[in-house]
Amino acid sequence: MSNFSTRINRFFLRHRDKGIQNLMLYIAIGNAIVTVMSMINGGFLLYDLLCFDKARILEGQVWRLVTYVFTQSNGGFLELVFLYFFYMLGRNVEANIGTFKFNLFYLSGVVLMDVFAMLFCPTEAILVEGMLVPAELFTAFYGSMAYFLHLSLVLAFATSYPEAQFMFFFIIPIKAWVMALVYLLLVGIDVFNMCYPVLLFPHCLFPLMGLGNYFLFFGDQLSNLLPLSWRAKLQRRKKSKGPKVVKFQQQTGPYRTAPTKEDYLHKCTVCGRTDKTDPGLEFRYCSRCNGYHCYCIDHINNHTHIE
C-alpha cells in the first residue's frame, strides 16, 4: 500500500503544473457574474439556467451537472465576500499541492455531488413518515451543492496550513485548524437536523458528500486538524518507535547449531592442554582408541583407551 501511495505522489509531482491553472479564479468570477446579475435586475434568470435541477437534467439539460458550481448563491453582496474567501483558499491549496492535483480534487467533488444528487434527489413529492414532502423542497436543498463543495476548501486549506490565521470580523484571530473543526461541527449539526425529528434518509447524508473529495486527497493528513501540542506528541511517538525487532526462538529438535571454530589445532583429551596454551608441548593421536582422540606427550602412553 505504501508503494502505491508513493507512486501516486510521484505521478502528481511529475504532472504538478498540468491542468487549469488558478481554477478557483474562474469559479469565483463565474459566481460573481451570476450574483451581480441577480442583484442588478432582481431576477434569477441566469441562476435558474445554470443551477442543478434533476428534472431538467433528465430532460436533456446536462450542462447543469457542471455549471452548478457557478451558483453558490442567488444574489447578495455578502456572497461576493465569501467568493473572495473561497478563491483565496483555493489559490493557496493549489500552490501547495499543485495545479493537476487541485483540478482532480475539485473535479472529484463535483462528480461525487452529481452522483449522489442524481441517485437520491426526488423529482416528485414523496411520503416521509406519514407526511407528504414536496419535490421543490429537495430541489432547493440540492441546489446548494456548490456551497457544500466550496466548503471542502476550508478543510483542504486547514490541512495544508493548519497554523494560518483568519481575522474573524476583522478583529478575532482564528487559526485554520480551529475553523476546520467548527466546519465539521456545523456539518454534523446539518446531518442531525435532517435526522430528527423526521428522518430524511438518505438525504441527510448529502452534506457529507462535501467531505468525500477531502478524504480522498487529504485523508492521510487528518492529524493536521489537531492542536499543535497533540500533533507534536504524535510526531514524537512516531519517532520513538524504532525499527521492529523480531526475536526468533532457539531451534529445538533434530537440528543443532554449528559449533564455533576453536583457535587451536590440538587438545589433550585427558588434561585439556592445547597447542595454544602450551606452544612447546608435543601431541600425538592414539590408534587404539575408538575415534579421533589427541593426547599430549605426558598422556599418550598413560591413558585409558576409549573403546
Side-chain angles (χ1 to χ4, degrees):
M1 191 66 181
S2 60
N3 292 335
F4 177 75
S5 300
T6 302
R7 291 179 181 178
I8 291 295
N9 292 331
R10 288 178 179 175
F11 176 78
F12 284 138
L13 185 61
R14 192 162 51 246
H15 301 84
R16 177 182 177 88
D17 297 328
K18 295 183 179 179
I20 304 175
Q21 296 186 358
N22 215 356
L23 175 64
M24 278 308 299
L25 176 62
Y26 304 115
I27 301 296
I29 291 176
N31 276 275
I33 293 174
V34 175
T35 301
V36 172
M37 291 294 292
S38 301
M39 293 169 60
I40 291 176
N41 57 21
F44 306 108
L45 179 61
L46 185 58
Y47 175 88
D48 187 61
L49 183 64
L50 302 178
C51 68
F52 180 88
D53 191 321
K54 181 178 177 179
R56 296 180 182 179
I57 291 174
L58 294 176
E59 292 175 358
Q61 299 182 15
V62 293
W63 65 81
R64 295 176 182 271
L65 291 171
V66 178
T67 57
Y68 76 83
V69 300
F70 301 112
T71 61
Q72 179 178 307
S73 69
N74 53 7
F77 176 77
L78 186 60
E79 294 297 334
L80 297 177
V81 178
F82 281 108
L83 288 175
Y84 178 75
F85 173 69
F86 288 130
Y87 159 67
M88 294 297 295
L89 293 182
R91 187 181 70 172
N92 284 278
V93 173
E94 180 180 347
N96 180 54
I97 65 176
T99 300
F100 182 68
K101 189 174 183 179
F102 180 77
N103 284 189
L104 289 181
F105 166 76
Y106 194 90
L107 178 62
S108 63
V110 172
V111 172
L112 287 173
M113 290 283 189
D114 285 337
V115 171
F116 189 92
M118 291 301 293
L119 286 176
F120 300 111
C121 180
T123 56
E124 56 185 19
I126 60 174
L127 192 65
V128 180
E129 296 186 4
M131 296 186 301
L132 192 64
V133 182
E136 291 77 10
L137 177 64
F138 293 101
T139 301
F141 174 67
Y142 283 96
S144 60
M145 293 169 61
Y147 176 71
F148 287 111
L149 174 62
H150 293 155
L151 277 179
S152 65
L153 293 173
V154 176
L155 291 177
F157 179 85
T159 304
S160 302
Y161 309 97
E163 295 302 313
Q165 287 189 348
F166 297 95
M167 299 304 293
F168 190 62
F169 290 121
F170 304 99
I171 299 175
I172 306 173
I174 299 180
K175 290 189 176 182
W177 66 268
V178 176
M179 184 175 293
L181 294 180
V182 172
Y183 161 65
L184 291 175
L185 177 62
L186 294 177
V187 170
I189 293 175
D190 287 338
V191 174
F192 177 78
N193 288 337
M194 298 188 68
C195 294
Y196 182 84
V198 179
L199 177 60
L200 297 175
F201 183 84
H203 312 288
C204 59
L205 302 179
F206 178 68
L208 300 178
M209 290 299 101
L211 304 177
N213 59 334
Y214 168 77
F215 283 109
L216 185 62
F217 287 87
F218 295 93
D220 57 343
Q221 305 176 43
L222 278 175
S223 60
N224 288 358
L225 300 182
L226 299 176
L228 181 60
S229 58
W230 294 12
R231 297 199 302 269
K233 288 181 180 179
L234 288 176
Q235 290 178 357
R236 288 196 297 267
R237 190 170 297 178
K238 289 181 180 180
K239 291 181 179 179
S240 63
K241 292 181 179 180
K244 186 176 181 181
V245 178
V246 180
K247 295 182 178 180
F248 296 95
Q249 295 182 353
Q250 186 176 1
Q251 181 67 45
T252 58
Y255 302 101
R256 294 184 301 174
T257 57
T260 58
K261 185 177 180 179
E262 303 292 348
D263 57 351
Y264 58 84
L265 295 177
H266 309 291
K267 179 180 179 180
C268 180
T269 306
V270 178
C271 65
R273 289 184 295 178
T274 66
D275 58 340
K276 184 72 174 178
T277 58
D278 296 274
L281 193 63
E282 292 185 14
F283 292 87
R284 298 286 187 273
Y285 289 85
C286 182
S287 58
R288 294 181 56 185
C289 291
N290 186 15
Y292 194 66
H293 297 281
C294 178
Y295 299 93
C296 65
I297 194 64
D298 296 332
H299 296 103
I300 184 64
N301 297 317
N302 184 20
H303 66 273
T304 302
H305 297 291
I306 299 175
E307 300 294 338

